[in-house]
Amino acid sequence: MVATTVHLLRHGEVHNPEGLLYGRLPGYRLSERGQQMAELVARTLAGEQDAPRRDVVVVTASPLQRAQETAAPIAAGFGLAVGTDDRLIEAENHFQGQRFGVGDGSLRHPEHWPHLRNPFRPSWGEPYAEQVDRMLAAVDAARAAARGHEAVLVSHQLPIWVTRLALENRRLWHDPRRRQCSLASLTSLRFEDDTLVGVGYGEPAAALLPGASAVSGA
């Protein structure tokens, strides 16, 4: 048996003073806290935080700036270059660039209501099943490239979460408030040869989560 681990890492906190659902919009960088989160994850994986050094040989990120910036210190710590895989990108969302809520948010405007007609697909953005398909394709590529070692894939909350739901044979539609995928968290997929044998979850940047922005990209 050849053991391989693929870590799905959510990016760190984003500089988003207007509280917008930023989706795939360009220019959303890490906040100062987000940069600290990325550094903390990098040190943890490198064995500098009372944790064993991981055997990381591949670091790949979504093309979005926040993911690339999160990946950079990890790659540097292992002497690697950051690869880019478009399949790791944030989910497409109709409400991108808007505040999502009732009050002064987009939900007060009737023209947006038809996009909420089917929460199971969902009707407001990229179908959950399509997110899972592209994420699993990226995982398979990383697993092959890191065979016998470990890979880190930096992505976004929703694609990571629905991928985990699919791998655990759970329904894909869900309450966004119940996602177990905090900022800079690691969802670790453990394989023996080509078979998934376990899913783990950890929060290396847990100490930095209090006070962090609760607005996700999608």
PDB file of all heavy atoms in Angstrom, residues 2-5 55 143 146-150:
ATOM      1  N   VAL A   2       0.532   2.205  -0.850  1.00  0.00           N
ATOM      2  CA  VAL A   2       1.217   3.495  -0.885  1.00  0.00           C
ATOM      3  C   VAL A   2       0.300   4.524  -0.242  1.00  0.00           C
ATOM      4  O   VAL A   2      -0.824   4.754  -0.717  1.00  0.00           O
ATOM      5  CB  VAL A   2       1.562   3.907  -2.328  1.00  0.00           C
ATOM      6  CG1 VAL A   2       2.205   5.281  -2.344  1.00  0.00           C
ATOM      7  CG2 VAL A   2       2.485   2.880  -2.967  1.00  0.00           C
ATOM      8  N   ALA A   3       0.763   5.152   0.823  1.00  0.00           N
ATOM      9  CA  ALA A   3      -0.037   6.132   1.553  1.00  0.00           C
ATOM     10  C   ALA A   3       0.227   7.533   1.010  1.00  0.00           C
ATOM     11  O   ALA A   3       1.378   7.963   0.900  1.00  0.00           O
ATOM     12  CB  ALA A   3       0.289   6.073   3.034  1.00  0.00           C
ATOM     13  N   THR A   4      -0.829   8.237   0.679  1.00  0.00           N
ATOM     14  CA  THR A   4      -0.752   9.607   0.165  1.00  0.00           C
ATOM     15  C   THR A   4      -1.815  10.437   0.864  1.00  0.00           C
ATOM     16  O   THR A   4      -2.931   9.965   1.078  1.00  0.00           O
ATOM     17  CB  THR A   4      -0.999   9.653  -1.356  1.00  0.00           C
ATOM     18  OG1 THR A   4      -0.127   8.723  -2.007  1.00  0.00           O
ATOM     19  CG2 THR A   4      -0.777  11.046  -1.913  1.00  0.00           C
ATOM     20  N   THR A   5      -1.476  11.670   1.225  1.00  0.00           N
ATOM     21  CA  THR A   5      -2.446  12.573   1.841  1.00  0.00           C
ATOM     22  C   THR A   5      -2.566  13.838   1.007  1.00  0.00           C
ATOM     23  O   THR A   5      -1.558  14.429   0.609  1.00  0.00           O
ATOM     24  CB  THR A   5      -2.041  12.953   3.274  1.00  0.00           C
ATOM     25  OG1 THR A   5      -1.977  11.765   4.079  1.00  0.00           O
ATOM     26  CG2 THR A   5      -3.049  13.915   3.889  1.00  0.00           C
ATOM     27  N   ASP A  55       5.204  15.754   5.050  1.00  0.00           N
ATOM     28  CA  ASP A  55       5.997  15.366   3.878  1.00  0.00           C
ATOM     29  C   ASP A  55       5.387  15.976   2.616  1.00  0.00           C
ATOM     30  O   ASP A  55       4.951  15.275   1.704  1.00  0.00           O
ATOM     31  CB  ASP A  55       6.020  13.840   3.804  1.00  0.00           C
ATOM     32  CG  ASP A  55       6.908  13.319   2.689  1.00  0.00           C
ATOM     33  OD1 ASP A  55       7.795  14.068   2.229  1.00  0.00           O
ATOM     34  OD2 ASP A  55       6.693  12.165   2.272  1.00  0.00           O
ATOM     35  N   ARG A 143      -2.954  13.883  -6.036  1.00  0.00           N
ATOM     36  CA  ARG A 143      -2.606  12.586  -5.441  1.00  0.00           C
ATOM     37  C   ARG A 143      -1.601  11.842  -6.318  1.00  0.00           C
ATOM     38  O   ARG A 143      -0.635  11.238  -5.815  1.00  0.00           O
ATOM     39  CB  ARG A 143      -3.870  11.752  -5.238  1.00  0.00           C
ATOM     40  CG  ARG A 143      -3.626  10.370  -4.670  1.00  0.00           C
ATOM     41  CD  ARG A 143      -4.933   9.718  -4.249  1.00  0.00           C
ATOM     42  NE  ARG A 143      -5.912   9.728  -5.321  1.00  0.00           N
ATOM     43  CZ  ARG A 143      -5.975   8.825  -6.295  1.00  0.00           C
ATOM     44  NH1 ARG A 143      -5.072   7.846  -6.352  1.00  0.00           N
ATOM     45  NH2 ARG A 143      -6.915   8.896  -7.213  1.00  0.00           N
ATOM     46  N   ALA A 146       1.814  13.611  -6.010  1.00  0.00           N
ATOM     47  CA  ALA A 146       2.453  13.498  -4.694  1.00  0.00           C
ATOM     48  C   ALA A 146       2.468  12.066  -4.179  1.00  0.00           C
ATOM     49  O   ALA A 146       2.668  11.839  -2.986  1.00  0.00           O
ATOM     50  CB  ALA A 146       1.720  14.395  -3.695  1.00  0.00           C
ATOM     51  N   ARG A 147       2.268  11.108  -5.029  1.00  0.00           N
ATOM     52  CA  ARG A 147       2.110   9.711  -4.617  1.00  0.00           C
ATOM     53  C   ARG A 147       3.178   9.293  -3.609  1.00  0.00           C
ATOM     54  O   ARG A 147       4.381   9.445  -3.840  1.00  0.00           O
ATOM     55  CB  ARG A 147       2.167   8.806  -5.842  1.00  0.00           C
ATOM     56  CG  ARG A 147       1.831   7.336  -5.544  1.00  0.00           C
ATOM     57  CD  ARG A 147       1.694   6.557  -6.840  1.00  0.00           C
ATOM     58  NE  ARG A 147       1.428   5.145  -6.594  1.00  0.00           N
ATOM     59  CZ  ARG A 147       0.232   4.634  -6.312  1.00  0.00           C
ATOM     60  NH1 ARG A 147      -0.811   5.445  -6.243  1.00  0.00           N
ATOM     61  NH2 ARG A 147       0.061   3.346  -6.100  1.00  0.00           N
ATOM     62  N   GLY A 148       2.720   8.784  -2.473  1.00  0.00           N
ATOM     63  CA  GLY A 148       3.623   8.368  -1.415  1.00  0.00           C
ATOM     64  C   GLY A 148       4.027   9.498  -0.483  1.00  0.00           C
ATOM     65  O   GLY A 148       4.779   9.268   0.476  1.00  0.00           O
ATOM     66  N   HIS A 149       3.532  10.707  -0.746  1.00  0.00           N
ATOM     67  CA  HIS A 149       3.885  11.880   0.059  1.00  0.00           C
ATOM     68  C   HIS A 149       2.602  12.659   0.384  1.00  0.00           C
ATOM     69  O   HIS A 149       1.563  12.062   0.575  1.00  0.00           O
ATOM     70  CB  HIS A 149       4.898  12.740  -0.709  1.00  0.00           C
ATOM     71  CG  HIS A 149       6.119  11.991  -1.133  1.00  0.00           C
ATOM     72  ND1 HIS A 149       7.192  11.754  -0.299  1.00  0.00           N
ATOM     73  CD2 HIS A 149       6.437  11.401  -2.333  1.00  0.00           C
ATOM     74  CE1 HIS A 149       8.111  11.066  -0.936  1.00  0.00           C
ATOM     75  NE2 HIS A 149       7.688  10.831  -2.173  1.00  0.00           N
ATOM     76  N   GLU A 150       2.712  13.987   0.433  1.00  0.00           N
ATOM     77  CA  GLU A 150       1.554  14.820   0.766  1.00  0.00           C
ATOM     78  C   GLU A 150       1.472  16.010  -0.175  1.00  0.00           C
ATOM     79  O   GLU A 150       2.488  16.514  -0.647  1.00  0.00           O
ATOM     80  CB  GLU A 150       1.630  15.310   2.219  1.00  0.00           C
ATOM     81  CG  GLU A 150       1.681  14.176   3.227  1.00  0.00           C
ATOM     82  CD  GLU A 150       1.702  14.662   4.677  1.00  0.00           C
ATOM     83  OE1 GLU A 150       0.976  15.616   5.004  1.00  0.00           O
ATOM     84  OE2 GLU A 150       2.455  14.073   5.466  1.00  0.00           O
TER      85      GLU A 150
END
